[in-house]
Amino acid sequence: MAGVTQRVRILALGGVIGPIVFVASWAVAGATTAGYSSVDGAISDLAASDASTHVATTVCLVVFGLGVIAFGFALREVLGGHAWIAAIATGAFTIGVAATPLNGWSGDAVHGVLAALGYTAIVALPLLAAPPLAASGRRTGARVSVVVAAVAALCLIATVFGTAHGLWQRLGLTVADAWIVAVASSIVVGNRPPPSASGRAGGASYIEM
């Protein structure tokens, strides 16, 4: 039984590189921008059209988007179900967010809608991965995926209420990003499915979690 192909491994690298670049970008930009608070300020503020960090943060958002789209295509090959669609949607909405910055040409409402859709997609990603992981015998991975989805959802919902919305945003996205990196890394190293698996058509998983 063949393992993960080289093409799939290369695609999965996007799920490692994209989130790492994204987290590093907002961490560095937030820490080096005078008067900016990573607790109270949204990541989108760093990519606003009139922000000094606009170009750098926007580029990193696009890198994240493209990387997660590539990861989605890798996920399609190694995991049954529809999690791969959520991954591609996450990447596409992120690129949309980058293309419609705050204080930019599109207006903040469009940016907000795309960000909300991106939040929904990134929460759906581990949640949709849980059933096929469980079906292929990765029960721990399935449970972890459900917990990640729940924690990310609660944190991102918390951004709407009260203070520290920047902190809640970062916590929610980082939890989900860590899941993407973990799954993508597992694909990159080429884990094989369990003996009873029959590939994507049977809903099996190559992912070791």
Side-chain angles (χ1 to χ4, degrees), residues 11-104:
L11 287 171
L13 271 175
V16 178
I17 296 170
I20 290 175
V21 167
F22 174 56
V23 172
S25 72
W26 59 250
V28 172
T32 57
T33 299
Y36 178 83
S37 169
S38 294
V39 173
D40 299 316
I43 295 171
S44 290
D45 292 337
L46 296 170
S49 62
D50 54 354
S52 61
T53 52
H54 166 68
V55 173
T57 306
T58 299
V59 168
C60 291
L61 281 168
V62 173
V63 169
F64 174 87
L66 293 175
V68 176
I69 287 173
F71 166 68
F73 284 112
L75 203 60
R76 182 174 183 268
E77 299 299 321
V78 301
L79 185 69
H82 300 95
W84 67 275
I85 297 175
I88 291 175
T90 298
F93 287 132
T94 301
I95 293 173
V97 166
T100 56
L102 294 176
N103 306 323

Side-chain angles (χ1 to χ4, degrees), residues 105-133:
W105 66 273
S106 63
D108 292 358
V110 174
H111 177 92
V113 169
L114 290 170
L117 290 171
Y119 288 172
T120 302
I122 202 170
V123 168
L125 174 50
L127 193 61
L128 290 173
L133 283 172

